[in-house]
């Protein structure tokens, strides 16, 4: 199996705090990988280093065999990485369609291709009927879905989603699970998520972080049964899907 994304010895220190420490990680192409762990485990810092928003203190990030550790975020996007943030980053003054078009244009030729990609991405996340609505007027949950559409429109090789179901209704979460399974046919997915039903029903493999390091990796059923994971994370608020 081809590894699309990996890290070796990846570390980040903030004023003596070891937020991420010596992480070796491998994500095969075509896999849905969930990244879970308690608050403060280092997940967001780790993903920030993958995306190029945070500079590592040590170690390497490798994408499709290329060391991208020192590439800025926009260069990583050009290589085929797309990501959504834990806090929405849509352009609130633009329409829903214009937000997605901005994400799609660097990857497509001609406005006809862009328009088709925009409509397809919005249809897939359930916002196809809101193309002309101002993004800032959307609910928080729908802004999350708009961000996912912006990622999809880039046709990425790797899609990184940070807390994508936060603010979604139960029905929207069910639709999100189906969307992830559909996307996995063409896209490798890294999912940072607290909702355990989403993790257990969509992920092929799960990586658990705690105190800036990898605590465990395995199939969802193995992770649920792992005593160390139960002690560190499961059996607390994660069981409630928060």
């Amino acid at each position: 199996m081809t590894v699309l994304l990996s890290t070796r010895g990846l570390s980040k220190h903030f004023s003596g705090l070891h937020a991420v420490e010596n992480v070796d990680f491998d994500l095969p192409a075509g896999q849905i990988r969930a990244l879970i762990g308690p608050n403060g485990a280092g997940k967001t810092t780790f993903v920030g280093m993958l995306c190029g928003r945070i500079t590592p203190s040590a170690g390497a990030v490798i994408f499709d065999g290329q060391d991208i550790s020192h590439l800025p975020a926009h260069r990583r996007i050009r290589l085929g990485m797309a990501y959504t943030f834990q806090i929405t980053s849509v352009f609130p003054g633009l329409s829903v369609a214009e937000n997605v078009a901005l994400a799609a244009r660097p990857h497509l030729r001609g406005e006809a291709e862009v328009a088709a990609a925009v409509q397809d991405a919005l249809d897939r996340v359930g916002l196809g009927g809101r193309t002309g609505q101002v993004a800032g007027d959307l609910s928080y949950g729908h802004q999350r879905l708009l961000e996912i559409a912006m990622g999809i429109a880039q046709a990425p090789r790797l899609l990184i989603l940070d807390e994508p179901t936060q603010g979604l209704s139960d029905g929207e979460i069910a639709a999100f699970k189906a969307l992830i399974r559909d996307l996995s046919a063409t896209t490798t997915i890294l999912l940072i998520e607290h909702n355990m039903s989403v993790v257990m029903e969509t992920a092929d493999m799960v990586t658990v972080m705690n105190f800036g390091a990898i605590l465990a990796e395995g199939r969802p059923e193995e992770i649920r049964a792992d005593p160390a994971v139960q002690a560190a994370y499961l059996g607390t608020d994660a069981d409630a899907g928060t």
Side-chain angles (χ1 to χ4, degrees):
M1 190 175 289
T2 303
V3 174
L4 180 62
L5 175 74
S6 62
T7 69
R8 290 294 177 266
L10 196 63
S11 303
K12 183 62 181 180
H13 306 153
F14 296 101
S15 301
L17 171 67
H18 292 196
V20 174
E21 186 65 23
N22 199 33
V23 169
D24 292 343
F25 175 83
D26 291 302
L27 177 58
Q31 189 177 93
I32 303 173
R33 176 72 64 89
L35 179 65
I36 68 172
N39 291 331
K43 304 185 300 296
T44 297
T45 301
F46 177 67
V47 170
M49 289 189 285
L50 299 181
C51 297
R53 293 175 62 82
I54 297 175
T55 302
S57 300
V61 179
I62 299 129
F63 184 70
D64 196 22
Q66 178 182 347
D67 188 335
I68 62 169
S69 307
H70 300 291
L71 288 184
H74 70 273
R75 292 277 303 278
R76 301 185 197 203
I77 291 171
R78 286 182 198 160
L79 291 175
M81 297 176 68
Y83 49 90
T84 68
F85 304 112
Q86 192 169 1
I87 301 171
T88 58
S89 58
V90 302
F91 297 96
L94 299 181
S95 73
V96 166
E98 287 168 336
N99 267 272
V100 182
L102 281 175
R105 280 194 185 100
H107 308 274
L108 297 171
R109 295 179 180 176
E111 285 302 304
E113 277 192 22
V114 170
V118 166
Q119 192 62 55
D120 176 66
L122 289 171
D123 285 343
R124 293 177 84 173
V125 302
L127 295 178
R130 296 177 179 265
T131 55
Q133 188 170 350
V134 175
D137 291 341
L138 294 175
S139 68
Y140 178 79
H142 284 168
Q143 288 187 33
R144 304 290 300 171
L145 293 174
L146 174 57
E147 255 203 332
I148 295 170
M150 292 165 70
I152 292 171
Q154 297 173 46
R157 300 170 66 195
L158 171 64
L159 180 60
I160 301 175
L161 302 172
D162 195 352
E163 303 290 354
T165 65
Q166 188 175 348
L168 301 188
S169 67
D170 289 345
E172 288 165 343
I173 289 173
F176 173 79
K177 294 174 186 175
L179 172 65
I180 290 300
R181 288 189 284 267
D182 180 52
L183 288 173
S184 68
T186 55
T187 305
T188 305
I189 296 169
L190 178 60
L191 181 67
I192 299 87
E193 183 57 69
H194 275 102
N195 188 313
M196 283 299 101
S197 73
V198 173
V199 170
M200 295 299 166
E201 293 177 34
T202 62
D204 299 312
M205 295 286 286
V206 180
T207 296
V208 186
M209 287 190 72
N210 197 28
F211 298 115
I214 292 179
L215 174 66
E217 285 188 323
R219 295 187 300 273
E221 61 272 19
E222 294 172 330
I223 293 301
R224 188 183 284 281
D226 189 311
V229 176
Q230 290 175 355
Y233 184 53
L234 300 177
T236 59
D237 61 349
D239 276 342
T242 58

